[in-house]
Amino acid sequence: MADNSGTGSNGVCVTFKDCEDAIQNCPSSAPPPPPSCHTKDSVYFSVPFMQKLMAEILGTYFMIFAGCAAVVVNLNNEKIVSLPGISIVWGLVVMVLVYSLGHISGAHFNPSVTIAHATCKRFPWKQVPPYILCQVLGSTLAAGTLRLLFQEKQDQFAGTLPAGSNIQAFVMEFIITFYLMFVISGVATDNRAIGELAGLAVGSTVLLNVMFAGPITGASMNPARSLGPAIVSSQYKGLWIYIVAPPLGATAGAWVYNMVRYTDKPLREITKSASFLKGAGRS
């Protein structure tokens, strides 16, 4: 979820990415790019980038496995987990994964988040396709694992389906993904925010969204979350909603936050004339 698109300090420059980016992102300890690096056709590859892709696969896998497992167990055991329980599972798994993998890949685990960051120029467009591919792969592997664990009568569809009309589901997915990305932009891309609370804020937002939107749309907010179970179970009803609405909502949320932010000045400079803060300090 965080905006963490730079390379690590132990990068190894070979070939995969444009060399113009290699010169900017390659660590100083790595060998200089070869002479061919000055041509536009040359490409650049880094070990840290592969580590990011691995983190996205693992993070998405564990997020989908835990969240969808809560759904399946709830359906197979007389709804013992309940909606609040499922919401808590989704919120907690997102929170712990943001804290454990955010410093490696940015903890996107969601094509909507990746696309939204890219549209705001906080993430390179050339890394978007491999990120999305890894996210869908992780989701599909998680759904496949659950399918193997819960076979025959226990096999439940852990994907997302609209409970009402397609328009209702589309608007709901747009709004909750907008809300999620607005929060992510605030805590993960604004250096004035308290970065240590990013995982808690994002996880809490997911929990809230699942709590009220889960019975209506499944509260996907994530095309990969819907695609993985759909592919494994071959159930594609209303899938276009979960592929289109979340990226649109996330992009809108990121851009609206950028308009609200309006400046990158430190917080102390903005609040110098904030009388209510001064008054609160005296009381």
Side-chain angles (χ1 to χ4, degrees):
M1 300 292 178
D3 184 20
N4 183 17
S5 56
T7 55
S9 59
N10 60 342
V12 179
C13 296
V14 277
T15 54
F16 185 73
K17 200 179 174 193
D18 281 355
C19 290
E20 182 180 351
D21 292 336
I23 296 172
Q24 295 176 357
N25 297 328
C26 195
S28 58
S29 60
S36 61
C37 210
H38 296 287
T39 64
K40 292 185 178 179
D41 294 332
S42 299
V43 289
Y44 167 78
F45 171 79
S46 67
V47 169
F49 182 60
M50 293 303 297
Q51 293 171 333
K52 293 178 185 181
L53 297 183
M54 291 175 61
E56 285 296 301
I57 293 175
L58 291 172
T60 309
Y61 176 91
F62 288 121
M63 180 182 71
I64 300 302
F65 180 83
C68 290
V71 174
V72 173
V73 171
N74 187 59
L75 293 173
N76 282 331
N77 294 274
E78 298 179 352
K79 299 189 177 181
I80 189 173
V81 182
S82 74
L83 176 61
I86 294 172
S87 303
I88 292 171
V89 169
W90 279 108
L92 285 178
V93 71
V94 169
M95 181 184 72
V96 298
L97 287 171
V98 167
Y99 283 128
S100 59
L101 295 174
H103 55 285
I104 297 176
S105 69
H108 293 189
F109 315 140
N110 185 340
S112 300
V113 174
T114 303
I115 292 170
H117 278 316
T119 61
C120 295
K121 297 183 179 179
R122 295 186 178 277
F123 190 80
W125 276 106
K126 292 178 182 178
Q127 293 185 12
V128 170
Y131 254 59
I132 293 177
L133 180 63
C134 289
Q135 291 156 0
V136 174
L137 176 61
S139 176
T140 305
L141 290 175
T145 303
L146 290 173
R147 186 73 180 271
L148 291 174
L149 290 175
F150 299 94
Q151 294 181 353
E152 298 177 0
K153 293 183 179 180
Q154 287 187 316
D155 184 23
Q156 302 282 356
F157 179 56
T160 51
L161 292 170
S165 67
N166 287 345
I167 295 298
Q168 181 193 47
F170 187 95
V171 173
M172 181 63 75
E173 284 294 319
F174 180 93
I175 292 174
I176 62 177
T177 313
F178 179 104
Y179 177 33
L180 175 63
M181 193 64 208
F182 189 87
V183 173
I184 291 172
S185 298
V187 299
T189 69
D190 196 331
N191 55 15
R192 297 167 298 172
I194 303 174
E196 291 79 6
L197 297 180
L200 180 61
V202 174
S204 299
T205 306
V206 171
L207 187 156
L208 290 171
N209 284 345
V210 175
M211 186 76 76
F212 70 82
I216 300 172
T217 67
S220 175
M221 301 171 277
N222 185 340
R225 182 263 180 270
S226 297
L227 267 171
I231 292 171
V232 171
S233 300
S234 299
Q235 294 195 36
Y236 303 104
K237 179 184 177 182
L239 184 61
W240 68 272
I241 297 170
Y242 304 100
I243 294 176
V244 177
L248 291 178
T251 301
W255 277 89
V256 169
Y257 183 84
N258 283 345
M259 289 189 291
V260 171
R261 172 166 50 190
Y262 82 88
T263 180
D264 287 322
K265 289 182 179 180
L267 184 62
R268 61 180 179 274
E269 293 184 16
I270 300 174
T271 57
K272 280 182 180 178
S273 60
S275 59
F276 72 96
L277 287 177
K278 294 179 181 178
R282 296 192 193 101
S283 60

